[in-house]
Amino acid sequence: MAQTPLCGKLSFEMEVKVSADKYHEQFVLPYLTAKSCPKVINKVDLLEGQWGEQGSVILWDFVSDCKPATAKQIVEVIDPKNKRVVYNVIGGSAVEGWKSFKNIVDVTPKGEGRCSVCWTLEYEKISESTPDPTTIIGALNEVNKGIEAYFN
């Protein structure tokens, strides 16, 4: 993505007490997150394709900044070896104000039953008045906590 005042990238990393395989599976088969994080993820619907396959289209119904939100996403990358999933957000209320938006989740094993999760948001704003997507980072942090609590 070209670096302009309208383009941005936000990342945060968090260690969680969940195996890397179990955490990665939550985003390869994202309907699992509705079970593990019901306070944040209300439901995840498959609109096109198959669960766990690149090119599938998914609709997330979730809470961000205490408000209901949706995100329609194409699963661009599922890399089981490197435990990476990339979603290209193509619609929904969560991306109003952005020309393009990607969610990238990278999971790194950190020993028995632990992993490091790095979330990266790459985006291009429609205008300079569009705020950075910091509220989405807050929701993703809650997702991390919910998955950890579910497995422990």
Side-chain angles (χ1 to χ4, degrees):
M1 180 176 293
Q3 287 300 322
T4 72
L6 298 178
C7 294
K9 186 176 187 177
L10 290 174
S11 293
F12 84 96
E13 193 165 350
M14 179 178 177
E15 191 167 304
V16 292
K17 294 176 189 164
V18 177
S19 75
D21 287 335
K22 284 181 181 177
Y23 194 97
H24 178 69
E25 183 182 41
Q26 292 284 305
F27 296 95
V28 171
L29 303 172
Y31 61 85
L32 295 173
T33 61
K35 294 177 184 176
S36 61
C37 306
K39 291 180 181 177
V40 180
I41 309 294
N42 297 319
K43 67 179 180 171
V44 183
D45 292 324
L46 179 67
L47 302 180
E48 295 176 29
Q50 299 292 319
W51 290 115
E53 290 186 7
Q54 292 178 174
S56 296
V57 178
I58 299 165
L59 181 65
W60 298 75
D61 180 345
F62 62 102
V63 177
S64 179
D65 199 25
C66 299
K67 298 176 197 146
T70 58
K72 185 177 179 182
Q73 303 178 332
I74 297 174
V75 180
E76 281 194 349
V77 175
I78 296 175
D79 181 346
K81 181 180 176 196
N82 295 306
K83 300 196 181 342
R84 173 177 254 223
V85 179
V86 178
Y87 297 105
N88 183 11
V89 187
I90 58 171
S93 63
V95 293
E96 291 172 0
W98 288 283
K99 237 184 230 187
S100 65
F101 201 101
K102 285 190 181 189
N103 290 338
I104 302 164
V105 59
D106 291 296
V107 183
T108 305
K110 290 289 183 185
E112 189 65 34
R114 294 181 307 118
C115 68
S116 176
V117 179
C118 180
W119 283 97
T120 303
L121 307 178
E122 295 178 351
Y123 55 91
E124 183 177 1
K125 299 176 186 182
I126 291 174
S127 73
E128 288 188 36
S129 64
T130 301
D132 290 332
T134 55
T135 58
I136 294 173
I137 293 284
L140 294 174
N141 188 41
E142 290 303 312
V143 167
N144 284 348
K145 291 176 185 177
I147 292 171
E148 183 176 64
Y150 181 77
F151 284 107
N152 288 294

